[in-house]
Amino acid sequence: MEKFILNITASSGEFFQGECESLTLPTADGQYGVQAGHSPVLVALEMGIMQFTVNGETRSVLVGDGIAEVTPAYVMLLVDSAERPEDIDKNRAEAARIRAEERLQHKQSMHEYYQSKIALNRAMQRLQATAKYNR
């Protein structure tokens, strides 16, 4: 199978760089698949699980919102965050979910409301990732 270079950069720094056989990205419209030779495109990413295959092994990563630049030879992801599901602290994610839900119960400005909704979504995505990928 042909390969392309994948570079995943989060706000905390480079997360992964190397050859990749295939890639599935989380978008607002669902999953977006990429293989070597793909037509050039920019893709808006939403927080969710992305999967990529290296040497026949599929890896999963929870990525935050971002953008992907796809070319025939490489894909560059710039995302808010990137973490392996097995590295997520389930207890910490559950505590964040509870805090976000509590904040949503109180009167807030629109800005605070949207920040609470974002925090709740992130906590829920992290919990779903641990449930699916942690054994």
Side-chain angles (χ1 to χ4, degrees), residues 6-99:
L6 173 61
N7 184 312
I8 304 170
T9 302
S11 58
S12 60
E14 186 172 272
F15 182 81
F16 175 85
Q17 182 173 356
E19 289 189 332
C20 179
E21 297 161 11
S22 65
L23 171 66
T24 305
L25 301 168
T27 71
D29 295 328
Q31 299 295 309
Y32 188 87
V34 177
Q35 291 186 329
H38 196 287
S39 298
V41 66
L42 288 175
V43 179
L45 305 176
E46 286 198 346
M47 179 175 235
I49 296 290
M50 66 159 280
Q51 294 183 318
F52 62 102
T53 304
V54 176
N55 296 325
E57 176 191 344
T58 300
R59 302 178 186 182
S60 298
V61 177
L62 177 64
V63 294
D65 294 343
I67 191 164
E69 177 185 9
V70 178
T71 72
Y74 73 88
V75 175
M76 181 185 305
L77 272 67
L78 300 173
V79 293
D80 290 338
S81 60
E83 54 189 333
R84 293 172 190 84
E86 59 269 20
D87 293 340
I88 296 172
D89 182 340
K90 186 176 180 178
N91 294 328
R92 186 172 161 220
E94 179 64 23
R97 180 192 64 80
I98 291 168
R99 281 192 311 273

Side-chain angles (χ1 to χ4, degrees), residues 107-125:
K107 281 190 173 183
Q108 323 178 39
S109 68
M110 287 304 288
H111 176 74
E112 291 169 330
Y113 171 79
Y114 287 119
Q115 291 298 318
S116 296
K117 291 289 280 184
I118 290 167
L120 179 58
N121 181 49
R122 177 172 168 76
M124 294 301 293
Q125 291 283 347

